[in-house]
Amino acid sequence: MTNHWLMKSELDVYPWSQLQIDGWTHWDGVRNYQARNMMRDDMKVGDMVMFYHSNCKPPHVAGIARVRREGYPDFTSWDAKSKYYDEKSSPDNPRWFMVDIEPVLSFDSIVDLPSMRGEVNLEDMPLLRKGQRLSVQPVPEEHFEHILRMAGHTMEDVE
DNA sequence: GCCAACGTTGGC
DNA sequence: GCCAACGTTGGC
């Protein structure tokens, strides 16, 4: 059973184009317990991920990625030189977790936030709720598919 | 740049 | 355990 997710990245921190260049990346630096729990417990190899650019105009989904490695400790959390360092995390007792993702499909046309807000079918999508800030969130399959279609694609393009 | 929403921290 | 203060996120 494949699940669907949305992950946010700031455009000027780690953009979709960089993921394409890198081929895959570890999703390090998440320091929120809800998001951590999802990466540690719920995200499985093969799960689909909408790659969302935040902090840009307009914010948008740029493409689809896939989980290639399930939750494992975020090693930047015990690297004193990392900006994500957390003195309470250690290899023996890791506090933060991450997954690895790889790009699957680059959208022909991005799907921006105003467009998503205009869709009745996406009305109850968590992303669109005021004040929600989770950088990792689940996406119901029907929302996932709807956004794919908005981008001019179908589920077949990611299978 | 503003500010609302939310999470975290720490005093009590 | 409460809650005020503070920091961060992220759309606008």
Side-chain angles (χ1 to χ4, degrees), chain A residues 2-76:
Chain A
T2 303
N3 285 312
H4 302 81
W5 309 90
L6 179 142
M7 292 172 122
K8 297 179 183 175
S9 186
E10 294 184 36
L11 187 59
D12 57 358
V13 174
Y14 191 84
W16 173 250
S17 56
Q18 189 62 46
L19 179 61
Q20 290 185 293
I21 292 167
D22 294 342
W24 65 275
T25 193
H26 41 252
W27 206 254
D28 59 313
V30 172
R31 297 293 179 266
N32 170 283
Y33 287 103
Q34 266 182 279
R36 176 204 68 179
N37 293 347
M38 284 186 273
M39 290 199 291
R40 187 189 58 189
D41 305 329
D42 302 326
M43 297 182 79
K44 301 301 175 191
V45 168
D47 281 1
M48 292 296 167
V49 177
M50 310 207 105
F51 194 105
Y52 179 85
H53 282 143
S54 64
N55 262 323
C56 56
K57 297 176 182 179
H60 60 274
V61 179
I64 305 295
R66 175 166 51 208
V67 176
R68 84 193 301 257
R69 182 176 175 188
E70 288 171 21
Y72 63 105
D74 180 344
F75 50 76
T76 66

